[in-house]
Amino acid sequence: MQALEERIRKDGVIKEGNVLKVDSFLNHRMDIELINEIGREFRRLFPDKSINKILTIEASGIGIACITAQYFGCPVVFAKKTQSINIDGEVYSTQIKSFTHNRTYDVIVKKAFLSPDDNILIIDDFLANGCALLGLIDIVKGSGASIAGAGIVIEKGWQNGGELVRSRGIRVESLAIVESMSVENGIVFRHEQTV
Ligand code: 5GP
């Protein structure tokens, strides 16, 4: 998605530890016009009319998922990060290792909000090592719902999350795939790669 790539190049900040900061337009201050285009693009890529729910994870995924959901006419469910899992059997739970915070969270979704009749689109801001996405997939599988695919705003192509998830037969559509980034050479998107 060209407008997104241009924005990443203009306002993305390359930080230590393989982190791309996009908090000036995506996940702290949010450029709603751009996110609206992102939502429209996800709809174009996933035209399947049977998609009836969007699943994301707090916090950064929520805003993007909500705007996207308006193009799908469906509700959003977000997985909650929690300190303590309630063991009354009312929630699906999994563990997710956070890439940016280097810690592991228990993540839950109330069972009543997912059903085997659902066809779910997963949305998230970043795909890096794939822990967040694999955790969400785990939760959906536990519920017996179908997975229409995953819509990712920015995939970091040199980390192996994309490969891991695609190798499980899940369709992953990333609107921008950063193939490499460094302060010296800037950002190279996958389609610009020379070799
Ligand atoms: P993964 O679980 O695939 O390793 O990482 C995905 C999650 O970590 C996303 O939900 C996102 O919030 C966060 N994340 C991973 N890499 C980056 C990054 O380079 N920049 C930012 N801002 N968040 C990231």
Side-chain angles (χ1 to χ4, degrees):
M1 189 181 154
Q2 198 182 341
L4 175 64
E5 289 186 358
E6 282 169 8
R7 192 61 180 275
I8 293 169
R9 219 190 289 278
K10 180 169 161 276
D11 291 330
V13 180
I14 299 164
K15 304 295 268 188
E16 264 175 46
N18 272 337
V19 172
L20 176 61
K21 239 178 152 57
V22 288
D23 62 352
S24 65
F25 62 94
L26 192 67
N27 52 23
H28 192 15
R29 180 173 62 182
M30 299 173 71
D31 181 336
I32 298 305
E33 212 173 304
L34 177 67
I35 297 172
N36 200 32
E37 289 312 307
I38 286 170
R40 194 197 308 273
E41 183 63 3
F42 281 140
R43 174 84 261 195
R44 191 185 70 76
L45 292 164
F46 292 99
D48 186 347
K49 294 243 179 340
S50 71
I51 293 171
N52 69 333
K53 213 166 268 176
I54 289 178
L55 177 68
T56 188
I57 181 165
E58 67 179 2
S60 312
I62 297 175
I64 299 161
C66 288
I67 289 177
T68 299
Q70 292 183 295
Y71 287 94
F72 287 79
C74 73
V76 172
V77 174
F78 65 90
K80 291 185 168 214
K81 294 170 181 162
T82 172
Q83 302 291 354
S84 59
I85 288 197
N86 90 11
I87 45 168
D88 57 12
E90 282 187 4
V91 296
Y92 297 110
S93 67
T94 193
Q95 287 203 319
I96 292 180
K97 186 173 186 305
S98 164
F99 178 82
T100 36
H101 298 111
N102 196 24
R103 53 168 287 199
T104 300
Y105 294 94
D106 287 313
V107 166
I108 57 161
V109 174
K110 199 168 174 180
K111 282 190 176 169
F113 298 153
L114 298 177
S115 108
D117 298 332
D118 288 336
N119 189 21
I120 293 178
L121 176 65
I122 300 174
I123 293 285
D124 205 4
D125 58 344
F126 271 89
L127 175 57
N129 293 323
C131 300
L133 192 47
L134 288 169
L136 294 176
I137 290 166
D138 202 34
I139 283 177
V140 178
K141 293 239 156 112
S143 76
S146 308
I147 301 176
I152 302 293
V153 181
I154 303 171
E155 177 175 341
K156 293 188 291 180
W158 71 93
Q159 292 181 264
N160 68 348
E163 204 180 307
L164 263 177
V165 178
R166 291 184 181 98
S167 72
R168 292 182 174 207
I170 290 171
R171 179 170 166 212
V172 180
E173 295 287 352
S174 300
L175 303 189
I177 303 182
V178 177
E179 200 49 56
S180 65
M181 62 181 197
S182 64
V183 176
E184 306 76 44
N185 302 318
I187 291 172
V188 178
F189 293 101
R190 181 164 287 179
H191 65 88
E192 299 168 331
Q193 245 186 335
T194 44
V195 191

